[in-house]
Amino acid sequence: MPHESRSVLAVSIVAAAVLWNSTVLAYSAIPSRGHAVLSNLAIDLFNKCVERGYGEPEFLLNRNERERIVKANLNEDRTRPLRRALNWHFYHPQMESRQRTLLFINRSFIPLFSRIEARLNESELSWNDALHALGRAIHFMEDLTVPAHSVPVFHGAGLKDAFESFRLSGTPSAQALKARISPNIKMICYRLSSQRPYAQSDTGAPGVPSGEGSLSLREILNRTRSFTLARLDNWICDEPDSLRVSWHYFWLPPKDDRFFGAYREGAEFGQVSDITDNGMSCQVTAEKYRNFAAGLHLEAVFADVRTLYWFSEKHAREPAPGLAPRLTPSEHH
């Protein structure tokens, strides 16, 4: 093929990718919704934990630092359309070797995330640049609490993911999440501040530290995805004599060696109220939808806070003169 023809083909493919991938977003990039709600709540919780002694006082994030982190998070979806088109926000680590499509398009966000990791590991990174990279990393933690990005199931080119567009899940309620966090704040701070690997939890609380050594950024990412997939394995209905069907009903896992799974035809998350099979049924109430979504929203916040603790340990600032040392989490607990 002549060089000029190859160039035209490449431009055409990129243009098509921009259009095709224009709606592949997890949560909303609108400042009052989605990602902004989750990351602001995570920073609130992180600061509250530090104020309670679970971290050194110099770790506290001020308003300007908060704004930089949240802005970088939101910009991962809404800026640099070419980068966004060539790096989709899905993750299927078992099929990472097959994640490329259309020659140079990454279906997985891992190439982007790897560059963020490398950036955060730079020894001469400025504080502002570190905060920017932190905001970008947090974006992908939150993305993985959207089932369609963790299974993954493709959505784009006008095809919206129902979890992200459903009012009970696409726009997390900060007030409702705070109500779930507040009664257990001491235990939550203790668990999130640990840098050790942690077990999954079915209670909606952070997992218990269960291993030795410190978590890496990639391990936090992978455990967040594992949490989401474990949530999908839970039964929608566990009442006696009800139909046993898991939340994977809405997001079907990939088959064979495929990168993407599929949406169940005619069954949209948030719109199904009764699932029937062989004379048995499962009632999917608004409360069940709400609790399922809230569990994933909480995990997004907890993953963010774990990332903030990881960042604080790696990019710790010098203590301000005259500040007395705080208790360590183990001493406080």
Side-chain angles (χ1 to χ4, degrees):
M1 180 184 295
H3 176 73
E4 183 177 350
S5 298
R6 289 199 301 268
S7 299
V8 171
L9 176 61
V11 171
S12 299
I13 291 174
V14 170
V18 171
L19 293 174
W20 181 253
N21 196 48
S22 60
T23 58
V24 187
L25 307 176
Y27 296 122
S28 172
I30 299 173
S32 61
R33 297 167 60 187
H35 283 289
V37 173
L38 295 170
S39 51
N40 272 301
L41 182 55
I43 293 170
D44 287 342
L45 177 56
F46 173 77
N47 280 346
K48 184 172 292 188
C49 288
V50 172
E51 288 170 352
R52 286 172 169 261
Y54 294 91
E56 298 300 327
E58 66 270 16
F59 290 176
L60 286 169
L61 295 164
N62 61 39
R63 184 179 65 183
N64 290 335
E65 292 164 339
R66 175 196 296 267
E67 289 176 353
R68 189 162 186 83
I69 292 168
V70 175
K71 182 179 179 181
N73 182 342
L74 296 179
N75 282 348
E76 202 60 31
D77 273 338
R78 65 190 185 190
T79 61
R80 299 187 184 181
L82 180 60
R83 183 183 75 184
R84 187 68 181 82
L86 299 182
N87 295 274
W88 300 356
H89 289 190
F90 300 105
Y91 190 31
H92 187 350
Q94 292 80 11
M95 285 291 137
E96 200 61 30
S97 62
R98 297 175 58 86
Q99 59 91 6
R100 281 192 176 273
T101 186
L102 292 176
L103 303 180
F104 44 76
I105 292 175
N106 296 306
R107 294 187 261 196
S108 167
F109 63 66
I110 284 302
L112 272 181
F113 195 81
S114 296
R115 292 197 286 274
I116 294 169
E117 285 180 300
R119 186 74 167 145
L120 285 169
N121 283 323
E122 291 179 11
S123 58
E124 300 300 324
L125 190 63
S126 73
W127 182 243
N128 279 338
D129 286 345
L131 291 172
H132 180 265
L134 170 64
R136 294 186 64 195
I138 280 175
H139 180 95
F140 295 109
M141 301 295 177
E142 294 168 2
D143 271 9
L144 287 185
T145 62
V146 173
H149 288 257
S150 278
V151 172
V153 178
F154 179 81
H155 52 289
L159 176 64
K160 292 184 178 180
D161 176 65
F163 181 88
E164 297 165 41
S165 57
F166 187 42
R167 62 182 180 82
L168 293 178
S169 51
T171 304
S173 168
Q175 183 177 0
L177 294 177
K178 286 179 180 178
R180 292 171 182 255
I181 291 171
S182 296
N184 304 296
I185 186 68
K186 184 177 179 180
M187 176 269 290
I188 288 172
C189 289
Y190 170 69
R191 292 185 179 179
L192 293 178
S193 62
S194 171
Q195 294 299 300
R196 290 183 291 143
Y198 55 94
Q200 294 296 334
S201 172
D202 292 328
T203 65
V208 180
S210 61
E212 298 302 322
S214 295
L215 282 169
S216 68
L217 194 61
R218 186 67 64 94
E219 287 170 330
I220 299 173
L221 184 83
N222 286 329
R223 285 170 184 266
T224 302
R225 178 178 186 259
S226 294
F227 175 91
T228 298
L229 295 181
R231 275 282 185 251
L232 291 174
D233 288 334
N234 288 349
W235 300 120
I236 298 176
C237 293
D238 56 5
E239 300 88 350
D241 301 322
S242 65
L243 177 66
R244 290 299 182 95
V245 57
S246 77
W247 289 100
H248 259 301
Y249 178 84
F250 297 100
W251 301 274
L252 304 176
K255 294 181 179 179
D256 305 321
D257 61 348
R258 297 178 184 177
F259 188 87
F260 287 118
Y263 294 111
R264 183 179 295 275
E265 186 175 353
E268 190 169 289
F269 180 85
Q271 302 301 315
V272 176
S273 59
D274 186 23
I275 303 172
T276 60
D277 186 41
N278 291 327
M280 302 184 72
S281 68
C282 171
Q283 300 297 315
V284 195
T285 64
E287 186 65 18
K288 289 178 180 177
Y289 280 122
R290 184 180 295 108
N291 286 332
F292 173 76
L296 294 173
H297 296 156
L298 281 171
E299 184 59 20
V301 172
F302 297 155
D304 284 357
V305 176
R306 285 190 170 104
T307 304
L308 291 170
Y309 271 109
W310 174 89
F311 176 84
S312 297
E313 185 175 272
K314 191 170 188 62
H315 295 272
R317 291 173 290 189
E318 290 298 319
L323 283 176
R326 292 291 186 99
L327 296 175
T328 64
S330 58
E331 292 171 334
H332 190 282
H333 189 72

